[in-house]
Amino acid sequence: MMLRITRSWTTLLLYLNLVASFTIRNNGTILRNRRGRQSLHAALGELSTPPPPRLDDDLLKAAKTRLPWESAVQEHTAEEQPSSWENGELWFESRPTLVKLWVLPRDMSNGADAKFAAAATKGERDLLSKVPQLLRLPTLQIIESAKTVKEGLGPHQRLPPALLRSEPMLLAFPPLYIRGGLGYLSRTYGAESALKQSRDTPGALVKAIEDWMEENATIL
């Protein structure tokens, strides 16, 4: 009787050891596969947001300059709550989505050369130096403006994100104004020519938006 019990326990222990060994091996494989995928994503810079650039006093001072189309109501609100943007809070919320939209450069330094991180930070810094007001404009407005520019004149008439990188002032216009500018160009030159000018002629879309604003000054 004791011999049968001992054999049963021995068999059970052997079975448990086999199960544990199989689980460890498979978990190790899964973990290695997960780590491999994570390393691949990191090396490719997928959805990787670079560290924010330093917000120095000159940049913050420049950000306070009002844009011509900003209303007195917006100005009053911004002055009442300066800390909501001067500490970088608003921009910190805006930048991850801008990275996903390919407006801001992605950090491709993980698993690669560190110079990519410096390049990404420099690209963001250059964009902010051109339009420092982006530090204090509402995140939702900036994102919607970026999407409006990329949508162009429709599903088959889109504009590239490179346009926003080269002309970041477009991010500061409200979406309504961007649609107005695109419509103004389209009515003046036709849809195909409007897209070509917006894409290939520096400042063409910004100028069209400003012309549309002047045309509609009494209702804006």
Side-chain angles (χ1 to χ4, degrees):
M1 180 68 177
M2 289 296 296
L3 181 60
R4 285 199 299 272
I5 293 174
T6 301
R7 285 176 177 173
S8 297
W9 274 107
T10 301
T11 302
L12 178 60
L13 288 173
L14 286 171
Y15 173 77
L16 292 174
N17 283 333
L18 285 171
V19 170
S21 176
F22 178 81
T23 302
I24 290 171
R25 285 198 301 272
N26 279 275
N27 283 346
T29 301
I30 292 170
L31 183 60
R32 284 194 299 272
N33 287 339
R34 285 177 179 171
R35 285 176 176 170
R37 287 195 298 271
Q38 289 170 353
S39 297
L40 177 61
H41 291 328
L44 293 175
E46 290 192 12
L47 305 182
S48 180
T49 306
R54 180 175 172 271
L55 304 181
D56 56 40
D57 292 339
D58 290 340
L59 194 61
L60 293 173
K61 182 178 179 181
K64 295 178 182 179
T65 302
R66 310 309 300 175
L67 296 166
W69 55 89
E70 289 186 278
S71 68
V73 174
Q74 290 174 314
E75 181 176 356
H76 180 65
T77 303
E79 286 183 351
E80 282 187 338
Q81 299 177 333
S83 61
S84 66
W85 67 268
E86 287 187 16
N87 60 7
E89 180 181 336
L90 273 178
W91 182 243
F92 189 79
E93 293 176 0
S94 303
R95 57 201 301 276
T97 305
L98 291 175
V99 169
K100 292 179 183 179
L101 292 172
W102 292 97
V103 176
L104 286 179
R106 301 188 179 198
D107 181 0
M108 298 176 65
S109 64
N110 295 328
D113 197 311
K115 67 182 179 183
F116 289 117
T121 301
K122 182 181 183 300
E124 183 176 348
R125 177 75 185 189
D126 289 346
L127 183 141
L128 285 174
S129 67
K130 292 177 181 177
V131 192
Q133 291 85 355
L134 293 173
L135 288 172
R136 59 173 175 77
L137 291 177
T139 293
L140 182 60
Q141 177 187 312
I142 293 175
I143 300 306
E144 287 304 310
S145 295
K147 291 179 178 178
T148 302
V149 171
K150 289 182 65 179
E151 286 168 4
L153 293 172
H156 304 293
Q157 297 176 309
R158 298 185 182 279
L159 290 168
L163 176 61
L164 290 162
R165 293 195 292 271
S166 62
E167 299 187 48
M169 181 59 74
L170 292 168
L171 293 169
F173 286 108
L176 172 65
Y177 293 18
I178 296 169
R179 286 190 288 269
L182 286 167
Y184 182 90
L185 272 179
S186 182
R187 289 193 307 273
T188 306
Y189 302 104
E192 186 175 344
S193 181
L195 287 173
K196 184 174 179 6
Q197 286 196 46
S198 298
R199 184 181 61 245
D200 302 334
T201 305
L205 182 51
V206 170
K207 178 65 166 56
I209 294 171
E210 291 172 345
D211 289 344
W212 177 86
M213 289 168 54
E214 184 177 351
E215 189 179 76
N216 295 274
T218 57
I219 60 175
L220 292 177

